[in-house]
Amino acid sequence: MRRRSPRRLLGVLAAAAVVLGIFSSAPAAGAPTPTGTAAATSAATAAQPLSTSTPVVFVHGYTGSASNWVTAMSVFRLNGWSSSDLFAYEYDSYGDNVTNARGLATFVDNVKARTGASKVAIVNHSMGGLVSQYYLKVLGGNSSVSHLASIAGANHGTTYAGACLIYTTCRQMYPGSSFIAQITSGDETPGSTEYATWYSACDGIILPYTSTRLSGATNNNVLCQTHIGYLADTVVLGQIARFVAS
């Protein structure tokens, strides 16, 4: 499908591009590079530093980028991670999530080779949930993933994607798509991977907001948080760091 950035659609998608920070428009890098700089976060999220050496791969959402994870990486460092074990995967928000998932598979393999780890943890946001689920379930990536944390993941789709159906990724993200049918049929949490999700009725972008929940996962209902607000929510991010270290 030919890529376009129709100006006519920008009026509809301007807010969606900001609020729907689900993915990145940059192609996947061949060799992973630790990403993120220290950011000020609440001391309440630090508590006791955790002892962990599990590398973490962060997967952004639609139109997102590695910069979405600056606060998250700071929280993980406060909880005991080294910057050299924190990685952000970037991919094409407007292409095909099958291709994006294959890129994630390569990225994870590179992280394992770089760090010497047998498994990584994945933390995703919004459409990053689709990329991650396809990798774990369809491509067999669960054998390389110890923990999967999905923050406001579009795991069963969102009707909000109707605003950008010109793009393959958005069509795949729409409820009832063949892509979603593939990643939700049968076991939604395959393998020995530990799965957890965080979702909220105040999300505003994942519609219905319960779409994030995965059968077989620990599903955490956040009292009230917006879709983009999660990326700066040091309380939730601290919970995720502790989940990954469990």
Side-chain angles (χ1 to χ4, degrees), residues 19-20 158 160 200-209 225-228:
V19 181
L20 208 78
T158 172
Y160 205 87
S200 174
C202 297
D203 186 295
I205 296 298
I206 301 303
L207 304 172
Y209 72 94
Q225 184 53 276
T226 63
H227 193 68
I228 294 301

Side-chain angles (χ1 to χ4, degrees), residues 105-139:
T106 299
F107 191 86
V108 168
D109 286 345
N110 289 340
V111 167
K112 288 166 58 181
R114 181 187 182 101
T115 62
S118 60
K119 293 187 177 185
V120 305
I122 288 179
V123 178
N124 67 57
H125 178 243
S126 200
M127 195 173 78
L130 300 188
V131 177
S132 302
Q133 287 300 107
Y134 194 94
Y135 165 55
L136 266 72
K137 180 168 182 174
V138 181
L139 302 182

Side-chain angles (χ1 to χ4, degrees), residues 22-210:
I22 324 177
F23 301 104
S24 133
S25 57
T33 302
T35 308
T37 58
T41 57
S42 168
T45 64
Q48 294 291 329
L50 304 170
S51 175
T52 178
S53 59
T54 304
V56 181
V57 174
F58 295 91
V59 184
H60 63 76
Y62 183 73
T63 74
S65 70
S67 64
N68 291 161
W69 301 110
V70 169
T71 299
M73 289 187 176
S74 181
V75 170
F76 270 72
R77 283 192 291 270
L78 286 172
N79 281 281
W81 269 264
S82 166
S83 294
S84 61
D85 282 327
L86 301 175
F87 302 86
Y89 171 59
E90 294 193 321
Y91 58 91
D92 184 0
S93 289
Y94 311 106
D96 186 330
N97 282 325
V98 173
T99 301
N100 294 335
R102 289 172 179 159
L104 177 58
T106 299
F107 191 86
V108 168
D109 286 345
N110 289 340
V111 167
K112 288 166 58 181
R114 181 187 182 101
T115 62
S118 60
K119 293 187 177 185
V120 305
I122 288 179
V123 178
N124 67 57
H125 178 243
S126 200
M127 195 173 78
L130 300 188
V131 177
S132 302
Q133 287 300 107
Y134 194 94
Y135 165 55
L136 266 72
K137 180 168 182 174
V138 181
L139 302 182
N142 61 83
S143 62
S144 291
V145 180
S146 63
H147 295 73
L148 185 286
S150 187
I151 309 171
N155 299 323
H156 293 88
T158 172
T159 57
Y160 205 87
C164 55
L165 293 178
I166 189 172
Y167 299 116
T168 299
T169 49
C170 289
R171 293 196 297 273
Q172 292 169 331
M173 189 164 44
Y174 199 80
S177 72
S178 59
F179 184 94
I180 288 174
Q182 191 172 12
I183 64 174
T184 58
S185 64
D187 189 358
E188 293 186 348
T189 52
S192 60
T193 304
E194 296 290 333
Y195 295 79
T197 73
W198 280 260
Y199 66 103
S200 174
C202 297
D203 186 295
I205 296 298
I206 301 303
L207 304 172
Y209 72 94
T210 53

Side-chain angles (χ1 to χ4, degrees), residues 228-245:
I228 294 301
Y230 279 110
L231 299 175
D233 189 331
T234 56
V235 173
V236 169
L237 294 171
Q239 292 171 1
I240 292 170
R242 284 166 176 72
F243 163 71
V244 172

